Amino acid sequence: MIEELAKELALRLMEEKSLSMKEALDAVYNSETYTKVLDLRTGLFAQSTAYVYSILETELLTGKMR
């Protein structure tokens, strides 16, 4: 479930931000957002891709999660 979410986030970054696969995967796996997804207590892993992507996008634009 978490790996599928990571894949979908990376694909969306590739599509919307024109990142290469490596850049997109690096952005996802090195983000605070992904760290929170891995923390099962947050429940973020069970949220929609669109919701998690919005958090990731904010983090990438501002340098911090909302």
Side-chain angles (χ1 to χ4, degrees):
M1 190 169 178
I2 291 174
E3 286 305 314
E4 183 65 26
L5 177 60
K7 180 182 99 177
E8 290 175 16
L9 293 171
L11 288 172
R12 194 154 170 192
L13 284 173
M14 291 169 61
E15 193 174 293
E16 294 186 13
K17 305 293 184 192
S18 299
L19 298 180
S20 69
M21 183 184 301
K22 181 182 180 339
E23 291 169 329
L25 289 171
D26 283 347
V28 171
Y29 289 129
N30 293 313
S31 69
E32 185 179 344
T33 302
Y34 188 68
T35 300
K36 297 291 184 186
V37 167
L38 292 176
D39 182 352
L40 301 182
R41 295 172 296 173
T42 68
L44 202 53
F45 72 94
Q47 299 300 316
S48 71
T49 301
Y51 178 72
V52 178
Y53 181 79
S54 71
I55 296 170
L56 177 62
E57 188 174 37
T58 299
E59 179 184 351
L60 295 175
L61 290 172
T62 66
K64 53 188 156 182
M65 293 177 65
R66 50 178 151 153

